[in-house]
Amino acid sequence: MMKDATVSARVQSDIKTEAEEILKNLGIPVSVLINSLYRQIIYRHGVPFELTVPAAPATMHILTKEELDRKLQHSYDQSLNGQGVSANHFFDELERDLT
């Protein structure tokens, strides 16, 4: 069947770049992914993945002292094991997400 329609959408350039780089590494052209997504929407009569609003993260104001201590200890242990990201990277990502 001939492809004769165009899909156009405005997205954040950094999101587009990152997603397209992943698709390139997988060897999947963007058009193939979009076509596959559309076919799944038709097949399922809906979006082929769950769309939910995540629960708000627990803040220190609603945690017990013990829960907060456990979370802080877990984070500290991760940092000792070289897991996670640097504070600079974290805040750069947070700032990027807010723009």
Side-chain angles (χ1 to χ4, degrees):
M1 183 174 270
M2 187 172 77
K3 295 179 182 175
D4 60 356
T6 301
V7 175
S8 179
R10 307 243 346 127
V11 296
Q12 291 176 307
S13 62
D14 57 334
I15 300 295
K16 177 182 180 286
T17 301
E18 188 174 343
E20 287 180 354
E21 183 64 28
I22 293 167
L23 291 173
K24 179 181 169 191
N25 290 337
L26 292 170
I28 302 171
V30 174
S31 60
V32 170
L33 180 73
I34 292 170
N35 195 46
S36 298
L37 174 61
Y38 277 24
R39 288 178 182 275
Q40 284 296 308
I41 291 169
I42 293 165
Y43 175 74
R44 296 170 186 255
H45 294 278
V47 179
F49 45 84
E50 188 174 347
L51 294 173
T52 60
V53 176
T59 62
M60 61 185 276
H61 302 322
I62 62 172
L63 295 173
T64 66
K65 181 183 180 328
E66 293 76 22
E67 289 170 326
L68 179 59
D69 288 345
R70 247 190 331 272
K71 286 185 178 291
L72 291 171
Q73 185 63 52
H74 177 73
S75 297
Y76 179 70
D77 292 342
Q78 283 182 314
S79 69
L80 292 178
N81 292 322
Q83 299 170 320
V85 298
S86 71
N88 286 339
H89 178 78
F90 172 80
F91 285 111
D92 288 346
E93 288 293 308
L94 181 61
E95 195 171 81
R96 179 180 68 96
D97 289 345
L98 294 175
T99 59

